[in-house]
Amino acid sequence: DSGVTQTPKHLITATGQRVTLRCSPRSGDLSVYWYQQSLDQGLQFLIHYYNGEERAKGNILERFSAQQFPDLHSELNLSSLELGDSALYFCASSPHRDGLNSPLHFGNGTRLTVT
Amino acid sequence: GQQLNQSPQSMFIQEGEDVSMNCTSSSIFNTWLWYKQEPGEGPVLLIALYKAGELTSNGRLTAQFGITRKDSFLNISASIPSDVGIYFCAGQLVRNAGNNRKLIWGLGTSLAVNP
């Protein structure tokens, strides 16, 4: 058990809809990272928050947004969903701002299926 | 997005055999990480490497940080059925496009072990 909790485990929704994925980092970790994993693209970094502030953006679509709350949990919001958004979405946490010398610990992911 | 060249893409071996996989890049990295992902779970850190030439073991697993800092290798000795999974390498660039450091991921090596 990595200590990172993600909910829900599975999500099935229709195109055009909006969903929210939730992540609770390991106790004491201030950084939260969001990744998208699909079969042909591997793990794609979306966004990183540290102690409530956005630190880095990766390949995140404008239809997607995230935030980290004062209690350090994070939410990833996906809107105007398209079929191609179907994927596993992982949250990972680490204690430090940049992750250097403190590797990421991943949750078990949310499997999103857009129909 | 940027990715590492991870090979082989998949392996099917007999129990007891040794396994080797590697990641290469044209870029220089200051950190190499090896993760394993089992079905329905998030990636779990196996080995972290922080210095060029470093050789680190974790049980039957051994990983090396290449001298050129552009590659890394993971070896598994005397494989067992529970070694099944997808193994990912991830590297942290010395310098990347943004003002932050983010991990660059390989596409994974899928390992199947025949008992």
Side-chain angles (χ1 to χ4, degrees), chain A residues 1 14 20 22 25 33-35 42 46 53 60 65 69-71 75-76 88 90 92-93 96 98 102-105 107:
Chain A
D1 182 7
T20 298
R22 182 188 169 100
Y33 298 74
W34 285 98
Y35 283 84
L46 296 178
E53 292 189 2
I60 187 166
S65 65
F69 295 88
D71 67 353
E75 292 181 354
L76 179 67
L88 268 170
F90 285 105
S93 73
H96 302 130
D98 286 324
S102 59
L104 304 178
H105 295 267

Side-chain angles (χ1 to χ4, degrees), chain B residues 6-8 19-23 34 72-76 87 109:
Chain B
Q6 186 170 351
S7 65
V19 173
S20 287
M21 60 191 78
N22 69 82
C23 277
W34 285 93
S72 179
F73 303 86
L74 176 70
N75 297 316
I76 305 173
Y87 291 80
T109 294

Side-chain angles (χ1 to χ4, degrees), chain A residues 9 35 37 41-45 55-56 59 90 98-101 103-104 106-108, chain B residues 1 3 31 33 35 37 40-43 45 48 50 88 92 100-103 105 107:
Chain A
K9 194 173 177 64
Y35 283 84
Q37 186 180 39
Q41 291 290 320
L43 275 160
Q44 296 292 319
F45 167 68
R55 280 287 298 165
N59 301 321
F90 285 105
D98 286 324
L100 186 61
N101 294 347
L104 304 178
F106 285 80
N108 285 337
Chain B
Q3 282 171 336
T31 301
L33 306 171
Y35 283 84
Q37 184 177 18
E41 298 183 7
L45 180 68
Y50 300 113
F88 290 98
Q92 196 162 41
N100 55 77
R101 295 169 179 170
K102 65 180 191 291
L103 289 175
W105 292 81
L107 290 180

Side-chain angles (χ1 to χ4, degrees), chain B residues 60-83:
Chain B
R60 293 175 298 103
L61 277 61
T62 302
Q64 183 161 26
F65 193 141
I67 287 291
T68 64
R69 300 171 74 182
K70 295 182 179 181
D71 57 12
S72 179
F73 303 86
L74 176 70
N75 297 316
I76 305 173
S77 62
S79 60
I80 59 178
S82 62
D83 290 334

Side-chain angles (χ1 to χ4, degrees), chain A residues 80-98:
Chain A
S80 302
L81 285 168
E82 301 174 359
L83 294 177
D85 297 328
S86 296
L88 268 170
Y89 290 85
F90 285 105
C91 166
S93 73
S94 78
H96 302 130
R97 186 180 60 189
D98 286 324

Side-chain angles (χ1 to χ4, degrees), chain A residues 56-69:
Chain A
K57 268 187 173 179
N59 301 321
I60 187 166
L61 301 172
E62 285 191 12
R63 299 183 285 108
F64 296 0
S65 65
Q67 53 184 329
Q68 186 179 27
F69 295 88

